[in-house]
Amino acid sequence: MAGFWTGAAALATAGRRGRRWPKLLMRSVALWTVKHVPHYSRRYLVVSRTLCSAGYDSNEKTFDKILIANRGEIACRVIKTCKKMGIKTVAIHSDVDASSVHVKMADEAVCVGPAPTSKSYLNMNAIMDAVRSTRAQAVHPGYGFLSENKEFAKRLAAEDVIFIGPDTHAIQAMGDKIESKLLAKKAKVNTIPGFDGVVKDADEAVRIAREIGYPVMIKASAGGGGKGMRIAWDDEETRDGFRFSSQEAASSFGDDRLLIEKFIDNPRHIEIQVLGDKHGNALWLNERECSIQRRNQKVVEEAPSIFLDSETRRAMGEQAVALAKAVNYSSAGTVEFLVDSKKNFYFLEMNTRLQVEHPVTECITGLDLVQEMIRVAKGYPLRHKQADIPINGWAVECRVYAEDPYKSFGLPSVGRLSQYEEPIHLPGVRVDSGIQPGSDISIYYDPMISKLITYGSDRTEALKRMEDALDSYVIRGVTHNIALLREVIINSRFIEGDINTKFLSDVYPDGFKGHPLTETERNQFLAVASSLFVASQLRAQHFQDHESSRVPIVKPQVASWELSVKLHDEIHTVVVSSSGPTFSHEPQKLLHSYMVEVDGSKLNVTSTWNLASPLLSVNVDGTQRTIQCLSREAGGNMSIQFLGTVYKVRILTKLAAELNKFMLEKAAEDTSSILRSPMPGVVVAISVKPGDLVAEGQEICVIEAMKMQNSMTAGKTGKVKSVHCKAGDTVGEGDLLVELE
């Protein structure tokens, strides 16, 4: 499990505003100073490799033991703060999670059931038994699962166990989108026009949608995290949206109630972090920009927002605090807003829990939000005033998923992590994860691998560090979305701040295709790939102990290699010449340079060519690139991750290329008459049977993956020949579902 961002800065200040303490020199930790830490917390806010927080006062007694009712990265995140505070921890886990990282990190662990969430992480009876058997004094729910379940909070309270979150009144009021909207109006918070009651059926949904005016947003009343949400632009989409949203809501939250409101087209999604205590105090901890989304789930977040000015920020913060105070909110929570192009903002929902993206707020404020939640739950007042909350630097978070970004911007991928290395050796990088080499990504849980966070003095530095971190992130064994994440953060619209919740579909209307290489980048890639090929050929010819070999071998002296390189169905002639070894500035590293001629351009490529390393730093005519060679085959096929995207090339010598012309190509499968599962998941429903006539685009079946339901449709008009699955079946990516005649 990786720590916080490395080699970063710390915040410090004196008790009186405007007066600073002298800087301290600490081994391995750089200290910065910033104003606004209140008199009663005169301590340095140390940002280290472990966590960023206002230092913990060991004399401030909280809890002896906390049970974390969650799994994965958020469970690990909570355990880290508990360890810092001297609190023992209890992990719960399903049977398939028995060897998970969060289980190993905790002091105790209790199995609460089999893999399905309904039988384990949502199994209140089993979790309550775990609380009793371990004598935990408090429970931290993380996010998702039971984090916003008022019944769970009530059951804990009935047994004098502290729920580390708001009280049941706030959970109920803010967890129900209908009630929260009414409370927001009463608290004078800007709200979106819509229907404030529960939608009974599809017919009523259509009637309400027509009254509001299309487009509308259909969403689960008790939902969150993009589950149970659909946008409808007409009556048919409203009926389909009602069906899918209610099913997803029932599956994810055990509550199928829906509401409908006006869909604000092209908005930004900006949220305010709030923090309240049990003494009537509440703060807003600045905003997070979360507009880059797919299927209503966030992909890239940052703090602060490049769009807000100080006046709008303050207005949003004050309204968020007003809403929190209206329900006597006590804990960390988030008020989400939609913001239009004119900076008008509308209340969306309040999440009465810790958010996935909370690390970016921690980076710019210096607060440890988990620590603050624990303090508040124990009854301590907040240590800070509103004027004490800084915006120091810039932070960006990318959600790294086990997903195929080339399918609907990310359909789940499952598998075992055969190799996994986090880029925490780079400055300003933090990785929150709950996995390790050998961990399994299964169909039962969210496919998130980690949260990758970078921090800098400004947005430019934070984004550059994110670019480097993504290039240096080694993930093997599952498909991941790093290519998409990297493209987003280097996109000119994103860099300029011209973003909204439709960013991905606007920028990639035909779907994500990977990084489009410029001519210069293409030549650089071909030069690097060719040099890598030559380096591997030379290594294959090398004998470690030539003198002791039984058969003397005379090595051919090759001055240059003429290669045929196929990339994107185009064949390039590349000539590689060795320039010989040179010594680097780093001890024990021998650099080797190649002069490469690509389509008339000459490039100098230098590296250590350590083919055993998953990462390879290569200098191409003065430009430093970090690449990953994912595979090399004897037939000349190579897969190389370059600028985030994996490119497949075939490199052959001149002779091998001439002989390859006589090889037969494998015929591609005709997929027009078959339907295969695009992702691993569970078949929820089958809409056809053999003999049925189907039209192009007609629903064939519904696949649920990671609690999201996806409608599979016919690719052409025809008659159903055979059905190879039934409701309840577990299917893998590429499995045959239905055949047409």
Side-chain angles (χ1 to χ4, degrees):
M1 175 67 184
F4 214 72
W5 36 277
T6 311
L11 308 176
T13 178
R16 189 172 65 231
R17 291 183 61 189
R19 174 176 146 230
R20 297 182 177 180
W21 289 89
K23 292 184 179 179
L24 298 181
L25 297 178
M26 298 177 63
R27 185 179 302 174
S28 302
V29 178
L31 290 182
W32 289 353
T33 58
V34 72
K35 299 178 182 179
H36 312 321
V37 174
H39 178 77
Y40 49 82
S41 63
R42 288 183 182 176
R43 64 183 74 256
Y44 284 85
L45 307 186
V46 178
V47 180
S48 72
R49 189 181 176 88
T50 307
L51 274 178
C52 163
S53 70
Y56 174 63
D57 184 355
S58 59
N59 296 318
E60 191 176 77
K61 182 67 175 174
T62 54
F63 303 103
D64 296 322
K65 185 186 293 185
I66 291 176
L67 181 143
I68 296 96
N70 218 297
R71 66 179 299 278
E73 67 85 13
I74 188 59
C76 295
R77 165 71 187 87
V78 175
I79 291 172
K80 281 179 145 183
T81 288
C82 289
K83 286 183 180 294
K84 179 188 67 174
M85 298 176 72
I87 301 170
K88 292 187 179 300
T89 55
V90 179
I92 63 168
H93 64 89
S94 65
D95 52 8
V96 298
D97 273 346
S99 299
S100 294
V101 175
H102 78 282
V103 173
K104 296 176 181 178
M105 287 181 64
D107 297 292
E108 301 175 55
V110 180
C111 182
V112 290
T117 55
S118 60
K119 298 179 180 179
S120 52
Y121 296 104
L122 291 175
N123 186 344
M124 276 191 264
N125 290 333
I127 296 173
M128 292 303 301
D129 287 342
V131 172
R132 297 186 196 100
S133 65
T134 59
R135 298 183 179 181
Q137 299 168 314
V139 171
H140 196 299
Y143 53 73
F145 294 139
L146 298 173
S147 62
E148 295 175 285
N149 189 300
K150 63 181 182 296
E151 295 303 322
F152 182 55
K154 285 180 180 178
R155 291 185 64 171
L156 290 171
E159 302 202 22
D160 294 326
V161 176
I162 302 297
F163 179 77
I164 301 177
D167 61 27
T168 54
H169 166 67
I171 295 174
Q172 179 173 344
M174 293 294 100
D176 188 301
K177 290 183 173 63
I178 297 171
E179 186 177 350
S180 67
K181 190 173 181 181
L182 294 174
L183 281 168
K185 286 182 178 180
K186 189 175 180 180
K188 299 185 180 344
V189 178
N190 303 343
T191 58
I192 302 171
F195 178 69
D196 295 330
V198 177
V199 183
K200 298 177 182 177
D201 52 37
D203 290 336
E204 185 178 36
V206 169
R207 179 182 60 78
I208 293 169
R210 288 175 178 174
E211 291 176 358
I212 296 173
Y214 289 110
V216 296
M217 173 69 82
I218 303 169
K219 58 185 179 181
S221 175
K227 305 291 194 304
M229 296 178 68
R230 289 289 191 284
I231 300 168
W233 295 80
D234 54 38
D235 292 355
E236 183 180 357
E237 290 187 359
T238 299
R239 292 184 185 278
D240 288 343
F242 181 89
R243 177 163 64 100
F244 286 124
S245 292
S246 59
Q247 290 172 355
E248 286 179 3
S251 174
S252 297
F253 316 112
D255 185 343
D256 64 357
R257 293 176 303 145
L258 302 177
L259 59 85
I260 299 179
E261 62 190 18
K262 180 70 176 176
F263 176 65
I264 307 298
D265 203 10
N266 296 321
R268 286 174 177 264
H269 185 135
I270 300 177
E271 59 192 28
I272 300 291
Q273 176 72 58
V274 295
L275 184 64
D277 62 21
K278 300 179 186 298
H279 305 276
N281 303 308
L283 306 171
W284 50 275
L285 308 181
N286 305 310
E287 80 281 2
R288 296 186 288 257
E289 173 78 68
C290 307
S291 297
I292 307 299
Q293 304 180 2
R294 51 95 177 95
R295 298 190 300 279
N296 299 309
Q297 290 186 307
K298 301 161 190 173
V299 179
V300 177
E301 302 106 348
E302 59 182 312
S305 168
I306 194 173
F307 185 64
L308 294 191
D309 53 53
S310 58
E311 183 178 345
T312 307
R313 175 180 296 114
R314 183 173 60 255
M316 292 176 69
E318 289 173 353
Q319 286 198 18
V321 166
L323 181 60
K325 288 187 174 182
V327 291
N328 298 318
Y329 196 86
S330 58
S331 191
T334 299
V335 181
E336 301 191 352
F337 293 94
L338 292 182
V339 185
D340 66 21
S341 59
K342 296 181 181 179
K343 297 184 181 177
N344 298 309
F345 56 91
Y346 305 94
F347 170 71
L348 182 61
E349 64 181 345
M350 182 175 188
N351 292 303
T352 56
R353 53 171 168 79
L354 196 64
Q355 288 281 88
V356 176
E357 58 273 20
H358 75 273
V360 292
T361 295
E362 293 183 325
C363 285
I364 67 166
T365 62
L367 298 176
D368 178 343
L369 292 181
V370 174
Q371 177 181 326
E372 298 302 325
M373 292 177 75
I374 293 172
R375 292 187 68 261
V376 167
K378 186 61 177 176
Y380 290 107
L382 298 180
R383 296 179 289 179
H384 309 286
K385 302 297 183 183
Q386 189 62 60
D388 304 319
I389 305 301
I391 296 181
N392 185 47
W394 210 285
V396 180
E397 174 179 297
C398 285
R399 299 192 188 187
V400 181
Y401 281 100
E403 291 182 337
D404 186 347
Y406 300 96
K407 297 178 180 178
S408 300
F409 300 113
L411 292 184
S413 169
V414 299
R416 177 166 294 176
L417 291 165
S418 57
Q419 195 169 7
Y420 182 74
E421 294 182 15
E422 296 172 345
I424 55 173
H425 60 284
L426 300 175
V429 174
R430 164 180 171 176
V431 182
D432 282 15
S433 71
I435 58 173
Q436 60 188 359
S439 292
D440 286 314
I441 306 296
S442 73
I443 65 171
Y444 297 109
Y445 311 117
D446 188 274
M448 182 188 287
I449 293 174
S450 72
K451 301 180 311 196
L452 177 63
I453 306 102
T454 56
Y455 175 86
S457 58
D458 55 28
R459 190 170 187 257
T460 300
E461 184 176 41
L463 289 176
K464 181 61 176 71
R465 286 178 169 177
M466 179 60 74
E467 189 178 334
D468 294 339
L470 289 168
D471 284 341
S472 301
Y473 207 148
V474 178
I475 304 171
R476 310 283 169 83
V478 296
T479 304
H480 54 74
N481 67 333
I482 280 180
L484 175 63
L485 296 172
R486 195 182 190 281
E487 282 305 291
V488 168
I489 65 165
I490 67 170
N491 183 273
S492 58
R493 273 187 54 180
F494 181 84
I495 292 172
E496 293 165 5
D498 178 18
I499 58 179
N500 55 50
T501 55
K502 293 174 61 179
F503 178 88
L504 291 180
S505 58
D506 287 347
V507 174
Y508 310 106
D510 300 321
F512 179 66
K513 307 295 184 184
H515 179 72
L517 294 170
T518 64
E519 183 179 353
T520 299
E521 291 170 345
R522 184 203 64 191
N523 289 345
Q524 287 184 349
F525 174 76
L526 293 173
V528 169
S530 300
S531 299
L532 187 59
F533 175 83
V534 170
S536 64
Q537 293 296 305
L538 291 175
R539 189 183 71 165
Q541 295 174 7
H542 178 70
F543 279 74
Q544 186 174 3
D545 188 3
H546 175 70
E547 296 298 329
S548 64
S549 62
R550 295 183 178 181
V551 181
I553 294 178
V554 179
K555 297 182 180 179
Q557 298 297 318
V558 180
S560 64
W561 293 261
E562 187 173 348
L563 306 174
S564 173
V565 184
K566 184 178 181 180
L567 172 67
H568 296 155
D569 295 325
E570 294 182 352
I571 297 178
H572 304 264
T573 298
V574 179
V575 179
V576 181
S577 304
S578 176
S579 299
T582 58
F583 287 96
S584 71
H585 296 294
E586 299 180 54
Q588 309 301 322
K589 283 195 175 182
L590 187 66
L591 299 176
H592 198 103
S593 296
Y594 296 103
M595 181 59 66
V596 185
E597 185 174 344
V598 182
D599 295 340
S601 299
K602 290 186 177 181
L603 300 95
N604 186 270
V605 183
T606 304
S607 178
T608 58
W609 305 111
N610 181 0
L611 304 182
S613 172
L615 295 174
L616 196 60
S617 181
V618 182
N619 187 291
V620 188
D621 276 356
T623 301
Q624 203 69 29
R625 302 289 191 193
T626 298
I627 69 165
Q628 299 184 37
C629 184
L630 307 184
S631 66
R632 294 192 307 274
E633 298 176 3
N637 293 316
M638 302 173 70
S639 292
I640 300 174
Q641 184 173 312
F642 178 77
L643 302 179
T645 295
V646 177
Y647 298 96
K648 294 183 178 180
V649 292
R650 188 186 64 194
I651 304 179
L652 301 172
T653 62
K654 183 179 180 181
L655 175 60
E658 291 175 354
L659 296 175
N660 190 68
K661 297 175 183 178
F662 300 101
M663 300 294 290
L664 295 177
E665 292 285 342
K666 182 180 178 181
E669 180 185 23
D670 180 11
T671 59
S672 61
S673 297
I674 61 175
L675 175 64
R676 294 187 181 276
S677 178
M679 77 207 89
V682 176
V683 179
V684 175
I686 298 290
S687 306
V688 298
K689 62 182 183 301
D692 286 355
L693 293 175
V694 295
E696 182 179 352
Q698 181 178 331
E699 180 178 292
I700 299 293
C701 64
V702 176
I703 305 290
E704 182 179 282
M706 278 74 174
K707 299 300 180 185
M708 296 293 283
Q709 296 197 354
N710 304 272
S711 177
M712 303 292 103
T713 60
K716 71 173 187 177
T717 299
K719 181 185 288 187
V720 177
K721 178 181 177 182
S722 57
V723 178
H724 296 268
C725 60
K726 63 182 184 298
D729 283 357
T730 298
V731 295
E733 181 180 356
D735 284 0
L736 182 61
L737 303 176
V738 175
E739 286 184 276
L740 301 180
E741 292 183 357

